[in-house]
Amino acid sequence: MSYADLQWPTAATGTYADIWKDAIDQNNRAYVDRGDRRFADGNAPVTEAHFVIWSPRKSIVLSVLDTATACTLKEVRASVHATIRMCPMRLAVYEGVVVHTLDGGRGCYLERSAAALGETPDADIAAAYASYEPTTRTIRTGFVVDHRPVEGCSQAIPLPPS
C-alpha cells in the first residue's frame, strides 16, 4: 500500500483527492462546525492509502481514507507505535476519461508514529499490504504488526465485472 497526504493535495496526489472530494469536504465542514479554523489554507488532517492496478484498458484504485471524523479506532499497539483504524474504502475504476467510483465499505488503515522525534518508523514491524489475483479478479489486503496479522484486517475485495 502507498500513502498520500491529502491535507495539501499536489499533482501527484490529486487523483486520490478526487476520489474522496465529498468526504474531504465533509471532514473540513466538521472541523469548521466545531469552531476549528486552523486549516483554512488547506484541508483538515486527511491521509489516504491506496493500491493501484494498471492495465492497457482500465486502471483500478483501491483507496482507504483516514480522517478523524470518518474513522473509528480498532487497535493500538503502543510497543511498536502503530494504530489501526477502521476507515471508509472505495474502488475507483478508470476507463479512459470515464471514472466509476464504488463504495467499498470499511477497511483497516495503519497509522505509524515515530517513537522519538526524528525516528523513522520501521516498516518491518508494521505494514499494510495489498495484492491482486488476476485469476479471481480479487484484491487481497492485510496488515502485519509486530510480526502478527491484525485480526479483522485481511480482506478479499472482488473487482466489478469487466
Side-chain angles (χ1 to χ4, degrees):
M1 300 285 290
S2 298
Y3 289 81
D5 182 348
L6 302 181
Q7 196 166 359
W8 291 279
T10 64
T13 62
T15 297
Y16 313 111
D18 287 345
I19 292 170
W20 291 104
K21 182 172 180 6
D22 62 320
I24 292 169
D25 289 345
Q26 184 177 2
N27 186 55
N28 290 339
R29 281 191 305 278
Y31 274 78
V32 170
D33 290 349
R34 290 191 314 235
D36 188 341
R37 300 193 189 289
R38 292 177 292 164
F39 307 106
D41 292 339
N43 292 318
V46 56
T47 56
E48 177 270 358
H50 56 271
F51 177 72
V52 181
I53 303 166
W54 299 97
S55 79
R57 235 180 16 89
K58 174 188 309 191
S59 298
I60 298 175
V61 177
L62 171 69
S63 178
V64 182
L65 187 74
D66 182 26
T67 67
T69 60
C71 299
T72 57
L73 180 65
K74 177 172 179 40
E75 186 175 330
V76 174
R77 301 257 184 104
S79 63
V80 293
H81 313 289
T83 300
I84 293 90
R85 295 166 38 94
M86 295 301 294
C87 299
M89 184 168 58
R90 290 183 178 167
L91 278 174
V93 180
Y94 294 84
E95 296 181 86
V97 295
V98 178
V99 181
H100 300 284
T101 304
L102 309 165
D103 179 16
R106 296 182 69 74
C108 290
Y109 188 96
L110 175 65
E111 291 181 349
R112 295 296 318 272
S113 62
L117 188 61
E119 182 179 329
T120 302
D122 185 349
D124 291 333
I125 293 177
Y129 62 88
S131 64
Y132 174 58
E133 295 179 7
T135 55
T136 61
R137 295 186 35 82
T138 302
I139 297 173
R140 296 199 177 273
T141 64
F143 293 74
V144 176
V145 177
D146 203 15
H147 308 286
R148 295 187 322 257
V150 177
E151 191 170 323
C153 286
S154 295
Q155 289 185 308
I157 302 147
L159 298 183
S162 295

